[in-house]
């Protein structure tokens, strides 16, 4: 599978009143890395006319991240069928390799003009099958 990875450092703006990364921030990071993976992997000619919407997020919070923690985010497509695609995102503390968060998100591919579901093409599926 094609895995996309990025890193970040937890900032003060990411924290909640417990001085842990806020759950809402994790959701933002999950959506951000999904979008970046799509933008980096798919040619412009294929991207035109396609939008993605979230159907469900299933997030497991394993351990808190704190100020200045280095985080490695990685994502890949677990499976796709019809108009639906299931994406996994994991976040680890780079120093300890401890799993912080694991999410499984179901996305639906839409035609950007009609905003109706459209079948994920073989061309798109193949782009996410190969390792980068």
């Amino acid at each position: 599978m094609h895995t996309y990875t990025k890193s970040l450092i937890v900032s003060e703006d990411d924290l909640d009143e417990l001085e842990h990364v806020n759950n809402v921030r994790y959701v933002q990071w999950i959506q951000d890395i999904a979008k970046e993976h799509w933008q980096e992997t798919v040619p412009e000619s294929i991207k035109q006319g396609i939008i993605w919407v979230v159907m469900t997020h299933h997030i497991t919070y394993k351990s808190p991240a704190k100020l200045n923690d280095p985080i490695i985010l990685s994502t890949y497509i677990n499976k796709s069928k019809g108009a639906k695609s299931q994406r996994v995102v994991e976040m680890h503390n780079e120093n300890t390799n401890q799993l912080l968060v694991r999410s499984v998100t179901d996305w639906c591919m839409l035609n950007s003009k009609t905003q109706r579901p459209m079948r994920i093409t073989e061309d798109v599926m193949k782009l996410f099958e190969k390792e980068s």
Side-chain angles (χ1 to χ4, degrees):
M1 76 200 82
H2 180 262
T3 302
Y4 180 79
T5 303
K6 70 182 248 179
S7 60
L8 58 84
I9 304 290
V10 175
S11 74
E12 215 168 292
D13 290 340
D14 301 322
L15 304 179
D16 61 19
E17 63 276 358
L18 299 174
E19 297 188 17
H20 299 156
V21 170
N22 188 303
N23 294 348
V24 174
R25 183 68 73 190
Y26 284 120
V27 173
Q28 184 66 56
W29 291 342
I30 289 164
Q31 292 195 170
D32 289 349
I33 194 169
K35 183 177 181 179
E36 290 172 28
H37 189 200
W38 172 257
Q39 295 294 335
E40 292 287 324
T41 304
V42 179
E44 200 60 43
S45 60
I46 294 176
K47 282 188 256 186
Q48 292 180 9
I50 295 173
I51 56 174
W52 289 93
V53 294
V54 170
M55 297 171 62
T56 63
H57 280 301
H58 298 278
I59 304 171
T60 304
Y61 300 96
K62 302 294 272 181
S63 185
K66 298 177 182 171
L67 184 62
N68 297 321
D69 281 352
I71 306 216
I72 299 292
L73 296 86
S74 61
T75 188
Y76 60 90
I77 302 298
N78 190 40
K79 62 184 175 181
S80 295
K81 183 176 181 181
K84 297 178 185 176
S85 184
Q86 186 178 80
R87 176 179 290 279
V88 174
V89 175
E90 292 184 340
M91 299 181 204
H92 289 83
N93 181 305
E94 187 174 9
N95 291 336
T96 64
N97 202 34
Q98 182 173 25
L99 178 63
L100 304 170
V101 171
R102 184 174 196 276
S103 72
V104 178
T105 303
D106 293 320
W107 293 82
C108 183
M109 190 166 95
L110 303 180
N111 177 298
S112 64
K113 291 180 183 165
T114 65
Q115 295 193 359
R116 298 192 50 86
M118 58 187 284
R119 182 173 294 280
I120 301 166
T121 65
E122 282 296 316
D123 290 345
V124 170
M125 284 199 230
K126 285 180 183 176
L127 290 169
F128 291 95
E129 288 174 358
K130 62 182 169 79
E131 189 58 48
S132 59

mmCIF file of all heavy atoms in Angstrom, residues 64-96:
data_model
loop_
_atom_site.group_PDB
_atom_site.id
_atom_site.type_symbol
_atom_site.label_atom_id
_atom_site.label_comp_id
_atom_site.label_asym_id
_atom_site.label_seq_id
_atom_site.Cartn_x
_atom_site.Cartn_y
_atom_site.Cartn_z
ATOM 1 N N PRO A 64 -1.624 10.496 25.514
ATOM 2 C CA PRO A 64 -1.639 11.933 25.214
ATOM 3 C C PRO A 64 -0.305 12.436 24.662
ATOM 4 O O PRO A 64 0.760 11.918 25.000
ATOM 5 C CB PRO A 64 -1.920 12.570 26.579
ATOM 6 C CG PRO A 64 -1.384 11.598 27.571
ATOM 7 C CD PRO A 64 -1.591 10.238 26.964
ATOM 8 N N ALA A 65 -0.398 13.432 23.819
ATOM 9 C CA ALA A 65 0.785 14.160 23.360
ATOM 10 C C ALA A 65 0.801 15.502 24.066
ATOM 11 O O ALA A 65 -0.251 16.063 24.377
ATOM 12 C CB ALA A 65 0.741 14.349 21.852
ATOM 13 N N LYS A 66 2.005 16.000 24.316
ATOM 14 C CA LYS A 66 2.171 17.240 25.076
ATOM 15 C C LYS A 66 3.023 18.236 24.308
ATOM 16 O O LYS A 66 3.590 17.909 23.265
ATOM 17 C CB LYS A 66 2.801 16.921 26.429
ATOM 18 C CG LYS A 66 1.924 15.999 27.271
ATOM 19 C CD LYS A 66 2.580 15.634 28.573
ATOM 20 C CE LYS A 66 1.654 14.682 29.333
ATOM 21 N NZ LYS A 66 2.286 14.118 30.504
ATOM 22 N N LEU A 67 3.133 19.422 24.873
ATOM 23 C CA LEU A 67 3.882 20.504 24.261
ATOM 24 C C LEU A 67 5.279 20.052 23.836
ATOM 25 O O LEU A 67 5.990 19.402 24.607
ATOM 26 C CB LEU A 67 3.984 21.678 25.244
ATOM 27 C CG LEU A 67 4.654 22.948 24.727
ATOM 28 C CD1 LEU A 67 3.869 23.541 23.556
ATOM 29 C CD2 LEU A 67 4.790 23.961 25.849
ATOM 30 N N ASN A 68 5.639 20.401 22.613
ATOM 31 C CA ASN A 68 6.945 20.125 21.992
ATOM 32 C C ASN A 68 7.198 18.662 21.648
ATOM 33 O O ASN A 68 8.292 18.322 21.199
ATOM 34 C CB ASN A 68 8.101 20.670 22.855
ATOM 35 C CG ASN A 68 8.042 22.172 22.975
ATOM 36 O OD1 ASN A 68 7.721 22.867 22.009
ATOM 37 N ND2 ASN A 68 8.311 22.681 24.167
ATOM 38 N N ASP A 69 6.205 17.787 21.835
ATOM 39 C CA ASP A 69 6.383 16.396 21.414
ATOM 40 C C ASP A 69 6.492 16.343 19.892
ATOM 41 O O ASP A 69 5.692 16.967 19.184
ATOM 42 C CB ASP A 69 5.206 15.516 21.851
ATOM 43 C CG ASP A 69 5.257 15.098 23.302
ATOM 44 O OD1 ASP A 69 6.271 15.355 23.973
ATOM 45 O OD2 ASP A 69 4.266 14.500 23.772
ATOM 46 N N PRO A 70 7.464 15.587 19.375
ATOM 47 C CA PRO A 70 7.534 15.383 17.926
ATOM 48 C C PRO A 70 6.601 14.229 17.536
ATOM 49 O O PRO A 70 6.638 13.154 18.142
ATOM 50 C CB PRO A 70 9.000 15.011 17.706
ATOM 51 C CG PRO A 70 9.415 14.357 18.989
ATOM 52 C CD PRO A 70 8.598 14.999 20.086
ATOM 53 N N ILE A 71 5.745 14.470 16.550
ATOM 54 C CA ILE A 71 4.744 13.471 16.164
ATOM 55 C C ILE A 71 4.960 13.084 14.705
ATOM 56 O O ILE A 71 5.157 13.951 13.850
ATOM 57 C CB ILE A 71 3.322 14.015 16.362
ATOM 58 C CG1 ILE A 71 3.183 14.506 17.780
ATOM 59 C CG2 ILE A 71 2.276 13.013 15.923
ATOM 60 C CD1 ILE A 71 1.929 14.324 18.470
ATOM 61 N N ILE A 72 4.920 11.790 14.472
ATOM 62 C CA ILE A 72 4.949 11.252 13.109
ATOM 63 C C ILE A 72 3.532 10.806 12.772
ATOM 64 O O ILE A 72 2.951 9.997 13.496
ATOM 65 C CB ILE A 72 5.914 10.051 12.993
ATOM 66 C CG1 ILE A 72 7.340 10.442 13.327
ATOM 67 C CG2 ILE A 72 5.814 9.416 11.599
ATOM 68 C CD1 ILE A 72 7.989 11.360 12.331
ATOM 69 N N LEU A 73 2.990 11.344 11.698
ATOM 70 C CA LEU A 73 1.670 10.955 11.214
ATOM 71 C C LEU A 73 1.865 10.117 9.958
ATOM 72 O O LEU A 73 2.677 10.473 9.103
ATOM 73 C CB LEU A 73 0.834 12.182 10.843
ATOM 74 C CG LEU A 73 0.474 13.155 11.960
ATOM 75 C CD1 LEU A 73 1.557 14.168 12.174
ATOM 76 C CD2 LEU A 73 -0.815 13.845 11.618
ATOM 77 N N SER A 74 1.135 9.025 9.850
ATOM 78 C CA SER A 74 1.181 8.225 8.630
ATOM 79 C C SER A 74 -0.235 7.814 8.267
ATOM 80 O O SER A 74 -1.088 7.628 9.134
ATOM 81 C CB SER A 74 2.075 7.008 8.795
ATOM 82 O OG SER A 74 1.592 6.169 9.814
ATOM 83 N N THR A 75 -0.470 7.694 6.968
ATOM 84 C CA THR A 75 -1.790 7.337 6.486
ATOM 85 C C THR A 75 -1.699 6.451 5.259
ATOM 86 O O THR A 75 -0.720 6.509 4.514
ATOM 87 C CB THR A 75 -2.641 8.588 6.169
ATOM 88 O OG1 THR A 75 -3.978 8.179 5.886
ATOM 89 C CG2 THR A 75 -2.096 9.389 5.024
ATOM 90 N N TYR A 76 -2.709 5.636 5.092
ATOM 91 C CA TYR A 76 -2.829 4.792 3.902
ATOM 92 C C TYR A 76 -4.298 4.427 3.708
ATOM 93 O O TYR A 76 -5.107 4.533 4.631
ATOM 94 C CB TYR A 76 -1.969 3.528 4.022
ATOM 95 C CG TYR A 76 -2.318 2.639 5.192
ATOM 96 C CD1 TYR A 76 -3.269 1.627 5.055
ATOM 97 C CD2 TYR A 76 -1.715 2.827 6.436
ATOM 98 C CE1 TYR A 76 -3.602 0.823 6.141
ATOM 99 C CE2 TYR A 76 -2.039 2.018 7.507
ATOM 100 C CZ TYR A 76 -2.983 1.020 7.358
ATOM 101 O OH TYR A 76 -3.323 0.224 8.426
ATOM 102 N N ILE A 77 -4.614 4.004 2.492
ATOM 103 C CA ILE A 77 -5.959 3.534 2.179
ATOM 104 C C ILE A 77 -6.011 2.055 2.528
ATOM 105 O O ILE A 77 -5.232 1.259 2.001
ATOM 106 C CB ILE A 77 -6.297 3.741 0.687
ATOM 107 C CG1 ILE A 77 -6.185 5.213 0.296
ATOM 108 C CG2 ILE A 77 -7.681 3.167 0.362
ATOM 109 C CD1 ILE A 77 -7.123 6.137 1.016
ATOM 110 N N ASN A 78 -6.927 1.694 3.397
ATOM 111 C CA ASN A 78 -7.090 0.305 3.829
ATOM 112 C C ASN A 78 -7.857 -0.511 2.793
ATOM 113 O O ASN A 78 -7.480 -1.620 2.462
ATOM 114 C CB ASN A 78 -7.801 0.274 5.182
ATOM 115 C CG ASN A 78 -7.810 -1.077 5.805
ATOM 116 O OD1 ASN A 78 -6.833 -1.811 5.744
ATOM 117 N ND2 ASN A 78 -8.921 -1.435 6.408
ATOM 118 N N LYS A 79 -8.956 0.079 2.288
ATOM 119 C CA LYS A 79 -9.741 -0.592 1.252
ATOM 120 C C LYS A 79 -10.647 0.420 0.573
ATOM 121 O O LYS A 79 -10.954 1.472 1.130
ATOM 122 C CB LYS A 79 -10.560 -1.738 1.838
ATOM 123 C CG LYS A 79 -11.581 -1.323 2.880
ATOM 124 C CD LYS A 79 -12.288 -2.524 3.473
ATOM 125 C CE LYS A 79 -13.213 -2.078 4.604
ATOM 126 N NZ LYS A 79 -13.891 -3.199 5.222
ATOM 127 N N SER A 80 -11.056 0.072 -0.644
ATOM 128 C CA SER A 80 -11.972 0.916 -1.408
ATOM 129 C C SER A 80 -12.940 0.023 -2.155
ATOM 130 O O SER A 80 -12.560 -1.042 -2.651
ATOM 131 C CB SER A 80 -11.210 1.776 -2.423
ATOM 132 O OG SER A 80 -10.362 2.685 -1.776
ATOM 133 N N LYS A 81 -14.182 0.483 -2.232
ATOM 134 C CA LYS A 81 -15.201 -0.253 -2.985
ATOM 135 C C LYS A 81 -16.300 0.723 -3.378
ATOM 136 O O LYS A 81 -16.775 1.494 -2.546
ATOM 137 C CB LYS A 81 -15.786 -1.384 -2.148
ATOM 138 C CG LYS A 81 -16.787 -2.228 -2.907
ATOM 139 C CD LYS A 81 -17.266 -3.392 -2.091
ATOM 140 C CE LYS A 81 -18.253 -4.206 -2.930
ATOM 141 N NZ LYS A 81 -18.772 -5.344 -2.195
ATOM 142 N N GLY A 82 -16.680 0.678 -4.639
ATOM 143 C CA GLY A 82 -17.709 1.590 -5.125
ATOM 144 C C GLY A 82 -17.245 3.030 -4.996
ATOM 145 O O GLY A 82 -16.196 3.391 -5.505
ATOM 146 N N ALA A 83 -17.996 3.841 -4.278
ATOM 147 C CA ALA A 83 -17.646 5.249 -4.063
ATOM 148 C C ALA A 83 -16.956 5.470 -2.719
ATOM 149 O O ALA A 83 -16.568 6.579 -2.398
ATOM 150 C CB ALA A 83 -18.905 6.104 -4.129
ATOM 151 N N LYS A 84 -16.797 4.383 -1.936
ATOM 152 C CA LYS A 84 -16.272 4.518 -0.575
ATOM 153 C C LYS A 84 -14.815 4.075 -0.462
ATOM 154 O O LYS A 84 -14.393 3.115 -1.098
ATOM 155 C CB LYS A 84 -17.111 3.694 0.397
ATOM 156 C CG LYS A 84 -18.541 4.156 0.479
ATOM 157 C CD LYS A 84 -19.331 3.269 1.406
ATOM 158 C CE LYS A 84 -20.801 3.647 1.401
ATOM 159 N NZ LYS A 84 -21.588 2.736 2.233
ATOM 160 N N SER A 85 -14.104 4.785 0.392
ATOM 161 C CA SER A 85 -12.709 4.474 0.661
ATOM 162 C C SER A 85 -12.466 4.570 2.164
ATOM 163 O O SER A 85 -12.936 5.510 2.803
ATOM 164 C CB SER A 85 -11.813 5.477 -0.076
ATOM 165 O OG SER A 85 -10.463 5.142 0.083
ATOM 166 N N GLN A 86 -11.754 3.590 2.698
ATOM 167 C CA GLN A 86 -11.449 3.587 4.128
ATOM 168 C C GLN A 86 -9.972 3.915 4.316
ATOM 169 O O GLN A 86 -9.101 3.235 3.808
ATOM 170 C CB GLN A 86 -11.752 2.223 4.733
ATOM 171 C CG GLN A 86 -11.592 2.202 6.240
ATOM 172 C CD GLN A 86 -11.962 0.842 6.795
ATOM 173 O OE1 GLN A 86 -11.157 -0.074 6.735
ATOM 174 N NE2 GLN A 86 -13.169 0.732 7.311
ATOM 175 N N ARG A 87 -9.732 4.990 5.080
ATOM 176 C CA ARG A 87 -8.373 5.485 5.308
ATOM 177 C C ARG A 87 -7.994 5.306 6.773
ATOM 178 O O ARG A 87 -8.773 5.623 7.667
ATOM 179 C CB ARG A 87 -8.305 6.963 4.929
ATOM 180 C CG ARG A 87 -6.970 7.617 5.223
ATOM 181 C CD ARG A 87 -6.975 9.068 4.808
ATOM 182 N NE ARG A 87 -6.986 9.234 3.369
ATOM 183 C CZ ARG A 87 -5.914 9.143 2.590
ATOM 184 N NH1 ARG A 87 -4.732 8.882 3.119
ATOM 185 N NH2 ARG A 87 -6.009 9.329 1.287
ATOM 186 N N VAL A 88 -6.778 4.836 6.998
ATOM 187 C CA VAL A 88 -6.221 4.690 8.344
ATOM 188 C C VAL A 88 -5.187 5.796 8.553
ATOM 189 O O VAL A 88 -4.379 6.070 7.655
ATOM 190 C CB VAL A 88 -5.564 3.305 8.530
ATOM 191 C CG1 VAL A 88 -4.855 3.211 9.876
ATOM 192 C CG2 VAL A 88 -6.595 2.201 8.374
ATOM 193 N N VAL A 89 -5.229 6.423 9.726
ATOM 194 C CA VAL A 89 -4.205 7.396 10.126
ATOM 195 C C VAL A 89 -3.693 6.972 11.492
ATOM 196 O O VAL A 89 -4.488 6.686 12.394
ATOM 197 C CB VAL A 89 -4.763 8.839 10.206
ATOM 198 C CG1 VAL A 89 -3.701 9.798 10.746
ATOM 199 C CG2 VAL A 89 -5.265 9.305 8.851
ATOM 200 N N GLU A 90 -2.381 6.911 11.622
ATOM 201 C CA GLU A 90 -1.761 6.643 12.919
ATOM 202 C C GLU A 90 -0.801 7.766 13.249
ATOM 203 O O GLU A 90 -0.133 8.298 12.359
ATOM 204 C CB GLU A 90 -1.014 5.305 12.900
ATOM 205 C CG GLU A 90 -1.929 4.128 12.788
ATOM 206 C CD GLU A 90 -1.215 2.799 12.854
ATOM 207 O OE1 GLU A 90 0.004 2.736 12.615
ATOM 208 O OE2 GLU A 90 -1.892 1.804 13.145
ATOM 209 N N MET A 91 -0.750 8.091 14.544
ATOM 210 C CA MET A 91 0.170 9.114 15.028
ATOM 211 C C MET A 91 1.000 8.503 16.142
ATOM 212 O O MET A 91 0.452 7.919 17.080
ATOM 213 C CB MET A 91 -0.603 10.328 15.549
ATOM 214 C CG MET A 91 -1.448 10.974 14.488
ATOM 215 S SD MET A 91 -2.338 12.414 15.121
ATOM 216 C CE MET A 91 -3.705 12.460 13.966
ATOM 217 N N HIS A 92 2.315 8.642 16.016
ATOM 218 C CA HIS A 92 3.256 8.112 17.008
ATOM 219 C C HIS A 92 4.128 9.233 17.543
ATOM 220 O O HIS A 92 4.456 10.171 16.803
ATOM 221 C CB HIS A 92 4.181 7.065 16.378
ATOM 222 C CG HIS A 92 3.510 5.789 16.031
ATOM 223 N ND1 HIS A 92 2.807 5.609 14.861
ATOM 224 C CD2 HIS A 92 3.425 4.619 16.698
ATOM 225 C CE1 HIS A 92 2.328 4.382 14.820
ATOM 226 N NE2 HIS A 92 2.683 3.765 15.930
ATOM 227 N N ASN A 93 4.529 9.112 18.793
ATOM 228 C CA ASN A 93 5.550 9.996 19.344
ATOM 229 C C ASN A 93 6.868 9.569 18.703
ATOM 230 O O ASN A 93 7.265 8.410 18.813
ATOM 231 C CB ASN A 93 5.607 9.869 20.864
ATOM 232 C CG ASN A 93 6.625 10.790 21.478
ATOM 233 O OD1 ASN A 93 7.800 10.781 21.114
ATOM 234 N ND2 ASN A 93 6.191 11.586 22.437
ATOM 235 N N GLU A 94 7.531 10.487 18.031
ATOM 236 C CA GLU A 94 8.756 10.156 17.310
ATOM 237 C C GLU A 94 9.877 9.701 18.250
ATOM 238 O O GLU A 94 10.687 8.854 17.887
ATOM 239 C CB GLU A 94 9.221 11.346 16.480
ATOM 240 C CG GLU A 94 10.383 11.024 15.584
ATOM 241 C CD GLU A 94 10.744 12.171 14.660
ATOM 242 O OE1 GLU A 94 10.204 13.285 14.831
ATOM 243 O OE2 GLU A 94 11.576 11.943 13.774
ATOM 244 N N ASN A 95 9.919 10.241 19.463
ATOM 245 C CA ASN A 95 10.994 9.885 20.401
ATOM 246 C C ASN A 95 10.820 8.490 20.990
ATOM 247 O O ASN A 95 11.790 7.773 21.200
ATOM 248 C CB ASN A 95 11.069 10.896 21.550
ATOM 249 C CG ASN A 95 11.551 12.250 21.084
ATOM 250 O OD1 ASN A 95 12.233 12.374 20.068
ATOM 251 N ND2 ASN A 95 11.193 13.282 21.823
ATOM 252 N N THR A 96 9.579 8.112 21.278
ATOM 253 C CA THR A 96 9.329 6.843 21.976
ATOM 254 C C THR A 96 8.691 5.783 21.075
ATOM 255 O O THR A 96 8.583 4.626 21.475
ATOM 256 C CB THR A 96 8.378 7.065 23.166
ATOM 257 O OG1 THR A 96 7.106 7.498 22.667
ATOM 258 C CG2 THR A 96 8.943 8.091 24.139
#
